[in-house]
Amino acid sequence: MSLNIQDIAVSIQARFNDTSKQEAIDNVSIDSRSLQNNGGTLFFALTGQNSDGHYYIPDLIKKGVTCFVVTHIPETAINNANFLVVDDTLKALQGFAKYYRQLFNFPIITVTGSNGKTIVKEWLNYLLSPDYNIVRSPKSYNSQVGVPLSVIGINEKHNLGIFEAGISTSGEMEKLEAIIQPNIGILTNIGTAHDEGFANRKEKIQEKLKLFSNVALLILQKNEVVEKLLPNSTKTFTWSYDIDGDITIKRTIKSTKTILKIKNNSSKSNFKVRIPFTGDAAIENAINCIMMLLHLGYDDDVITNRIANLYPVELRLQVKDGINNCTIIDDSYSCDYQSLKIALDFLEQQKTHQNKTLIISDVFQSGFTTEELYTKVGQLITTHKINKVIGIGKIVTKQLADFPNFYPYKTTQEFLTQLNANAFEEETILIKGARSFRFEEIVVLLEEKTHETVLEINLTAITHNFNFYRSLLKPETKIMVMVKAFGYGSGNYEIAKTLSHHKVDYLGVAFADEGVALRNAGITTPIVVMNPESSAFSAMTAYNLEPEIYSIRELNAFIDLAKKKNLSNYPIHLKLDTGMHRLGFKENQIPELINLLQNNNFVAVQSIFSHLSASDDPKLSAFTKQQIALFEQTSLTVTNALKINPIRHILNTSGIYNYPEAQYDMVRLGIGLYGVGNDAKERKQLLNVSTLKTIILQTKDIEEGESVGYSRKFMATQKTRIATLPIGYADGIPRAWGNGKGYVIIKNRKAPIIGNICMDMLMVDITSIKCNEGDTAILFGKNPSVVTIAKALNTITYEVLAGISHRVKRIFYKV
């Protein structure tokens, strides 16, 4: 991309307020935090319910950005940059993408549906890349913002595009169709995802079909309901397991693979394809890819050979603990220029150490010449201040040979043979390789070894949930997020990093050592210690942690320390007891508190707050309102007496949802961030964050009358097949969840937990499930949810999540 700023202004119908109309644009950005922002960047200042890109413009100007699309020009930035002024910056971004798309004339394949969009896109990229120079949506960039950014990735060397489009409500797809302007469409499975955004399933289908209103061909599974909703002019190419499609599929499942017999009902030709999957969804996705190959005229042998090599697509950037206190970012399944840009931004967001290492393979499917591509790759590496680069592949070793701190290896095996694990220590390592390089073998060697039980944490869901609660607040209301108790069992470092990246105002921890650990991990966001012990005051001041002060004794102790250390106006947070009766100053202690703080310059009251004890229970709303009223009264007494204007806050997660009128200056978000709400409507808006999974360690058959586990609590009444899983109550699975009360999910089916749960193992009944040793078992996630488990055990979700042992490995990922 290299466009003149004045031409862009015309394309988006913007008013040009400029210092130079000759600026050249070669990069578009919506993220002020990206290190890729530079003098050739056009920054779109997008605005949301609680975010505003205009706020970051002065900082971006200091970084060298000179061109902005805005709805208004910040006063401090007038005459300091070029501004394209529009009514709506999101519409302007979409308008620019539409204009940019029209500069190119080559076929575009577009994919939509409820499930399988990204898989089909990635598989088509793999299947077609030997013959085409492809541009495609990076990761799952399929939204109102993601699609424009994907299209802007086109360059003049591309000759085929593959883009996915996703919607959550009506009125969205027409905008995406105008941006992508597809020639060929693929409709994947239509499921329940985003049903809540539409009046009914028919309306959702109609909305999705708008993507194909101008395509020359639409590929889909034979579906009379869908086809009746299509315009008569739409040409379709259909497949079916019966005989009424253009292509008839007969499938035979054999162990870990599926044999597909393909019959073309018009030409009467037949051939067989083997795919290395057995699940219904994977089979449907593979068939859609076969249909595209058939349409493009590939012969049977080529289709058979390429389809046989399809592979599981890893859609996630995963953060893992590495050896020697390293952090591993695993993106070892693809390596193209667009995804490299995303991965490097993620590296910067998730880095736990100042030293950053990139292990990279040859880079594919860029659309640039080899020299152009690696010049751009080198610029990215330099911009992101990567300390060490390990290149694996014939091309990357040649092109980056003169790069500082570059270590070349021709093959992955050569690197593994010469690997000295001790050469990696206290660094964040991005492993970014095309699938053919098998970089997963590098991940295995550099990853810290633990057993097969893992708790997967979806950082994308964390961000979604954070933004949901932020959308309920006034723009000026600050947010403190609680990352105490090891992030409610989810892991506090990585969560804190993600939140810091999204500009959270405060982090809350329970004890000083949690705050110290966050500081040592590089977190600079203000941190409040909610349960400070006097013995930890010195550590708190050393690491710039701010204490909650809840008693006269504690306040005196901290002031004494401040005097000894000669501190001035050290921030403290006063907790008032309005009815929780746990910690805090009661109303009758307020005069003594005021007396201590008057004319005291050793400490400064940063905030005054209280804690609601029943904000989740509508039956106790009168008591909650009483707490809020008492907080209003006592906090004003303090502020008026001290003539101060601190942050005031009382709302917790359920308070944010149920009592938005009491949000004051800040709110404290806790369990809701992790996808758990107390109200059914609230939970519907949240995404699941944590999935606890393990593997089947062993399977065996037992006869009628035989028992399972300690105390023989399960007695077989018939021949039964059981599976043993390597997880137990020492890992955090409540013992009460056993003996038929609970279940796990294997192959999308419930497997009841039988017998007593052991310390390190539990057993499940798999009599009716076709599964094998090594298969995955899900303890909780979407199903069963932690809400389901908590209700069954008559406890709360906090206890289920926070109870997961630290010995369970956490894997963090972003989709």
Side-chain angles (χ1 to χ4, degrees), residues 586-599:
K586 295 195 70 175
E587 189 176 7
N588 60 6
Q589 296 175 302
I590 298 301
E592 187 177 2
L593 170 65
I594 292 171
N595 186 54
L596 269 174
L597 290 173
Q598 278 180 328
N599 303 316

Side-chain angles (χ1 to χ4, degrees), residues 458-717:
N458 184 340
L459 296 175
T460 303
I462 287 279
T463 301
H464 169 90
N465 297 340
F466 176 72
N467 287 332
F468 165 69
Y469 286 103
R470 188 159 62 175
S471 73
L472 304 178
L473 304 173
K474 300 172 185 174
E476 64 271 20
T477 303
K478 300 179 186 297
I479 302 178
M480 177 191 295
V481 175
M482 310 307 298
V483 292
K484 62 181 182 177
F486 197 50
Y488 292 78
S490 297
N492 45 9
Y493 305 159
E494 290 79 4
I495 302 295
K497 284 194 223 79
T498 296
L499 295 168
S500 296
H501 188 67
H502 288 280
K503 308 296 185 185
V504 70
D505 299 285
Y506 271 93
L507 296 172
V509 298
F511 298 103
D513 57 352
E514 294 177 321
V516 170
L518 290 178
R519 288 284 185 251
N520 287 333
I523 301 300
T524 58
T525 301
I527 298 173
V528 178
V529 180
M530 308 302 284
N531 303 328
E533 299 162 320
S534 299
S535 59
F537 282 165
S538 291
M540 291 176 62
T541 56
Y543 284 89
N544 193 28
L545 306 175
E546 303 174 17
E548 168 191 309
I549 300 296
Y550 53 82
S551 71
I552 298 297
R553 177 193 60 78
E554 190 198 22
L555 179 56
N556 278 320
F558 193 80
I559 290 174
D560 287 343
L561 176 84
K563 289 178 180 178
K564 290 176 184 177
K565 289 182 172 286
N566 197 29
L567 301 177
S568 175
N569 293 316
Y570 196 91
I572 63 173
H573 300 259
L574 301 180
K575 183 167 190 179
L576 308 181
D577 184 357
T578 58
M580 184 76 166
H581 297 329
R582 191 169 61 180
L583 293 174
F585 294 94
K586 295 195 70 175
E587 189 176 7
N588 60 6
Q589 296 175 302
I590 298 301
E592 187 177 2
L593 170 65
I594 292 171
N595 186 54
L596 269 174
L597 290 173
Q598 278 180 328
N599 303 316
N600 187 317
N601 62 354
F602 294 104
V603 296
V605 179
Q606 188 74 9
S607 83
I608 301 176
F609 71 103
S610 189
H611 193 68
L612 298 176
S613 59
S615 58
D616 59 329
D617 191 343
K619 296 177 184 176
L620 297 174
S621 62
F623 181 78
T624 299
K625 290 175 181 177
Q626 179 181 316
Q627 277 194 274
I628 294 170
L630 181 57
F631 174 70
E632 171 75 8
Q633 173 192 326
T634 51
S635 63
L636 283 178
T637 299
V638 174
T639 58
N640 290 337
L642 298 178
K643 295 181 172 57
I644 57 175
N645 186 31
I647 299 167
R648 292 195 293 167
H649 50 109
I650 191 171
L651 297 186
N652 51 10
T653 295
S654 50
I656 295 170
Y657 191 77
N658 294 324
Y659 299 93
E661 69 279 4
Q663 59 189 259
Y664 286 98
D665 306 299
M666 185 162 72
V667 298
R668 300 186 305 276
L669 178 58
I671 194 71
L673 183 76
Y674 305 93
V676 179
N678 292 296
D679 179 89
K681 290 182 180 178
E682 179 185 4
R683 285 196 297 272
K684 203 170 183 180
Q685 301 297 321
L686 303 175
L687 295 180
N688 177 66
V689 168
S690 305
T691 301
L692 179 61
K693 57 174 61 174
T694 189
I695 63 164
I696 296 175
L697 204 59
Q698 186 181 38
T699 62
K700 63 180 62 174
D701 295 312
I702 62 172
E703 302 297 327
E704 179 182 350
E706 291 189 296
S707 62
V708 174
Y710 286 117
S711 304
R712 307 192 72 193
K713 290 295 185 181
F714 175 81
M715 302 292 295
T717 58

Side-chain angles (χ1 to χ4, degrees), residues 788-809:
T788 300
I789 296 174
K791 284 182 178 178
L793 300 181
N794 195 29
T795 185
I796 57 175
T797 52
Y798 298 76
E799 185 176 356
V800 178
L801 282 174
I804 303 304
S805 167
H806 284 219
R807 78 178 188 176
V808 173
K809 177 181 178 181

Side-chain angles (χ1 to χ4, degrees), residues 186-252:
I186 299 177
L187 181 65
T188 65
N189 176 274
I190 299 290
T192 59
H194 299 298
D195 272 1
E196 67 277 4
F198 302 90
N200 50 52
R201 184 67 59 86
K202 180 180 177 181
E203 182 182 84
K204 183 169 77 170
I205 294 172
Q206 285 177 315
E207 181 71 17
K208 288 185 178 293
L209 292 179
K210 290 176 182 177
L211 182 62
F212 310 123
S213 56
N214 295 301
V215 296
L217 183 76
L218 172 60
I219 293 171
L220 73 160
Q221 184 175 8
K222 186 71 177 178
N223 186 314
E224 290 185 3
V225 174
V226 171
E227 291 178 73
K228 285 180 181 178
L229 296 174
L230 288 169
N232 293 331
S233 59
T234 304
K235 182 180 178 183
T236 62
F237 186 33
T238 63
W239 64 270
S240 172
Y241 290 124
D242 300 314
I243 60 172
D244 55 351
D246 297 311
I247 302 294
T248 300
I249 311 288
K250 300 292 184 183
R251 56 180 174 172
T252 304

